[in-house]
Amino acid sequence: AMVDEHARYLRLASEKNDDTLGTANSSDLNATIMNLSIEYSIPPFLISSLLSQYGYTITQQICSVMNHPGPVTIRKNAIKFPWSDDKFCQWVR
């Protein structure tokens, strides 16, 4: 059932022009919100807020960026490894 709903929302969104949300009726807007919410795994209230502030195109770009993983970083605990950063980098390799 959820797959059918998802397919319906994707179809509705693909039929939309880019930034016509200002003239869309309530059911179209709700369908767009649910589509983006399902597609990007972001809560509908956040999608709704982003759409009202930025429009469809920018909201879609924001959602896409939010789903990319961040960089992997390493932090040195100076208490457990009191030597220089260069020695730490050598130790990590």
Side-chain angles (χ1 to χ4, degrees):
M2 187 61 156
V3 174
D4 294 336
E5 288 294 309
H6 188 201
R8 185 172 68 85
Y9 288 127
L10 289 175
R11 182 177 38 76
L12 286 173
S14 68
E15 294 170 356
K16 282 193 177 305
N17 287 335
D18 201 25
D19 279 320
T20 59
L21 293 176
T23 60
N25 65 29
S26 176
S27 66
D28 286 345
L29 181 59
N30 287 338
T32 300
I33 290 169
M34 288 307 295
N35 171 44
L36 291 173
S37 178
I38 292 168
E39 184 176 349
Y40 294 105
S41 298
I42 296 175
F45 76 89
L46 184 54
I47 299 291
S48 176
S49 178
L50 290 170
L51 281 172
S52 66
Q53 293 177 32
Y54 300 108
Y56 184 80
T57 304
I58 302 295
T59 297
Q60 195 172 28
Q61 292 172 354
I62 290 170
C63 293
S64 178
V65 168
M66 289 174 66
N67 275 333
H68 288 118
V72 175
T73 59
I74 298 175
R75 237 176 68 177
K76 171 182 94 166
N77 184 336
I79 295 171
K80 293 185 178 183
F81 199 93
W83 299 280
S84 71
D85 289 345
D86 293 331
K87 281 192 175 187
F88 178 72
C89 289
Q90 290 173 356
W91 180 78
V92 169
R93 290 183 195 160

